[in-house]
Amino acid sequence: KDVVADEKAAKTAPKDTEKDKKDKDKKKDKKEKKTKDGKKFNAKKLKHGTMATVFTCVFVALLVLVNVVTTMLFDRYPITIDLTTNKIYLVSNDTEDYVKKVNVDVQVTIFADENTYTNYSSYNKQAVELLKNYCKLNHHITYRFVDIDSHPEIVKEYTDTISQFDMIFETKTKVDGKEISRTRKLGMLDLLTFTDEFEQKLSQSGYSIDTLAQQAGGDLSFLSYYGSYVESSNAEQAFTSALMTVTDPNPVYVSILTGRSELTQLTYFQTLLTANGYNVNTVDITSEDIPSDTDVVVVPAPKTDYLEEDIKKVSDFLNNDGNLGKQLLYIASYGQEDTPNLDEFLSEYGLSVGKGVICESDSGKYYNSPCVTVASDVSDNFTQDVSTENPAILSALCRPVNTLFDEQDMVSTDAYLKSSDSAYTANVDISQTTGQVNIGDALVKGQQNYMAVGSKAKFTDDNKTLYSNVIAVGSEGMLSDTYLQYSQYQNSEYFISVINGLTGNTAGITITPKTITGN
């Protein structure tokens, strides 16, 4: 029945027209084409997907490579932008020029935990950022933090007494196969400057910041009491000076002679010398010999006379086994006793220190008192590092320094600092209770010398001339802590310039302290 029904249905069903056949053929062709296009599309999609994957992998690889390289570069040369008003984190151009020329390895050790140090104050933060800039400028310079409590063995490696927050600049070189370490220690106070009023009050009380810090128990204890008097950062000056000290291939050594009741400690003068790259030490002339590597000896106003054996040490130093090439700075004082042995020694270099003190009758030539005077005639010799064309040198109670001759037996003399023609010398009487100065009658009228130089020369076989020089200054006031720090006078620049010239030392770098305010 089913078969018969199917046959009947087939006979009665309408037959496909020619159009229907064509439509079927079209649908069949379209289906076959769609299948073929699908296969092509899938192949193309696969191809593009593979390329995209490859490009993505290459891009990611390049990105990782760039990230690794820049990370390494930034670790070594961190990129920072100083947005502070007075650029407290940037080094000056002079410092940058000097730092780039350093060609020996310098390691800076900060004795503290890094977080503790940088969070102590904004000045500590600035010091660390500056130090990082030094390292960026020259790969020879590196730094590290060393906690004193955790690493006592490292502290023992140094001969300096190390306290919390101290810094050590260090170089190591080999001389004749032996390793020699040169170090310079900086304390927290070396990185700071204090107000002029505070320093003047200390000076008037007979103190300096260093001596008061010692009594307080160290730099940090001092700052806990007097930190409010901090005015600005001196970190850049301190860092650059320390670098100069440890990297100078020809270091200059200065010995301050003691042992004869010296009337001045020259505290700030020693600081000034150190800041300009000199290595400063003290020698007790009564019991010690002057070190053979000393280039400059300073005799700071001894109250009592030198003995003959003391004079011999000084003379032998200047003669230098016949090679000369040494310098001596002699500072006289109105408070000295009679010094016949020293006077005889000075006369060998054509110099003598006279009686009384230099006074000025012209009120325009003195400061507050006729015996606190300003040198109006400054020699051009060795003023190469003085920034002012006409430097003003302030002095107080200065004895006249006389030249005994111009030239005699290979010794010549020259006056470097002179008064005006309206000057005179006079004895003074200083009240022990009030400090008032009473000036007596004039002893000698006319121009006087505040400072003079006696030079002993020697000619060598190769037509060179060697010199040993004695610089005589009539008053310790010219080198006092207060006068050296007066910005309106050029005492500090002038004396450093003279010593630089006589020793052939490279001029130091003077950097303006930076006040840290705001963010």
Side-chain angles (χ1 to χ4, degrees), residues 115 161 173 191-192 347 365 379 445 454 471 502 512:
N115 289 332
T161 301
T173 56
L191 310 184
L192 304 169
S347 67
K365 303 295 184 184
S379 170
K445 294 182 179 181
I471 309 105
L502 291 172
T512 304

Side-chain angles (χ1 to χ4, degrees), residues 414-474:
D414 192 2
Y416 276 21
L417 296 177
K418 298 180 182 180
S419 70
S420 69
D421 293 331
S422 60
Y424 62 94
T425 60
N427 289 318
V428 297
D429 179 50
I430 304 175
S431 172
Q432 296 294 328
T433 56
T434 64
Q436 183 176 350
V437 179
N438 298 311
I439 301 174
D441 295 333
L443 299 175
V444 179
K445 294 182 179 181
Q447 190 175 53
Q448 307 293 326
N449 299 333
Y450 294 98
M451 170 178 156
V453 177
S455 301
K456 182 179 289 186
K458 175 186 177 181
F459 300 117
T460 63
D461 295 335
D462 53 355
N463 296 322
K464 291 183 180 179
T465 307
L466 304 176
Y467 294 95
S468 276
N469 300 285
V470 172
I471 309 105
V473 178

Side-chain angles (χ1 to χ4, degrees), residues 337-517:
E337 299 172 356
D338 290 337
T339 55
N341 291 333
L342 282 168
D343 294 343
E344 183 180 355
F345 163 74
L346 290 174
S347 67
E348 295 177 11
Y349 284 81
L351 305 173
S352 71
V353 180
K355 301 294 183 181
V357 300
I358 300 173
C359 303
E360 276 283 0
S361 57
D362 183 352
S363 60
K365 303 295 184 184
Y366 64 77
Y367 177 78
N368 290 336
S369 170
C371 58
V372 180
T373 57
V374 178
S376 59
D377 187 345
V378 180
S379 170
D380 291 334
N381 291 332
F382 302 124
T383 57
Q384 72 284 342
D385 300 320
V386 180
S387 58
T388 307
E389 185 176 351
N390 298 308
I393 312 301
L394 184 65
S395 179
L397 299 174
C398 185
R399 295 172 64 184
V401 180
N402 304 314
T403 55
L404 302 178
F405 50 79
D406 292 331
E407 189 171 344
Q408 179 179 300
D409 298 331
M410 300 297 290
V411 175
S412 60
T413 62
D414 192 2
Y416 276 21
L417 296 177
K418 298 180 182 180
S419 70
S420 69
D421 293 331
S422 60
Y424 62 94
T425 60
N427 289 318
V428 297
D429 179 50
I430 304 175
S431 172
Q432 296 294 328
T433 56
T434 64
Q436 183 176 350
V437 179
N438 298 311
I439 301 174
D441 295 333
L443 299 175
V444 179
K445 294 182 179 181
Q447 190 175 53
Q448 307 293 326
N449 299 333
Y450 294 98
M451 170 178 156
V453 177
S455 301
K456 182 179 289 186
K458 175 186 177 181
F459 300 117
T460 63
D461 295 335
D462 53 355
N463 296 322
K464 291 183 180 179
T465 307
L466 304 176
Y467 294 95
S468 276
N469 300 285
V470 172
I471 309 105
V473 178
S475 169
E476 74 276 23
M478 264 190 276
L479 292 159
S480 68
D481 294 355
T482 303
Y483 286 9
L484 287 177
Q485 296 182 75
Y486 276 164
S487 59
Q488 64 267 43
Y489 298 102
Q490 286 72 51
N491 290 42
S492 59
E493 283 188 13
Y494 178 74
F495 281 101
I496 288 297
S497 183
V498 169
I499 294 177
N500 282 344
L502 291 172
T503 60
N505 190 34
T506 303
I509 299 173
T510 302
I511 299 161
T512 304
K514 296 179 179 179
T515 303
I516 298 179
T517 56

Side-chain angles (χ1 to χ4, degrees), residues 52-64:
T53 303
V54 170
F55 279 125
T56 301
C57 292
V58 171
F59 176 76
V60 171
L62 287 174
L63 192 63
V64 170

Side-chain angles (χ1 to χ4, degrees), residues 257-265 284-286 300-306 335-337:
L257 303 189
T258 63
R260 293 299 174 194
S261 304
E262 285 68 27
L263 296 170
T264 178
Q265 300 301 314
D284 188 337
I285 194 64
T286 65
K303 184 176 181 180
T304 58
D305 197 14
Y306 274 27
Q336 285 178 290
E337 299 172 356

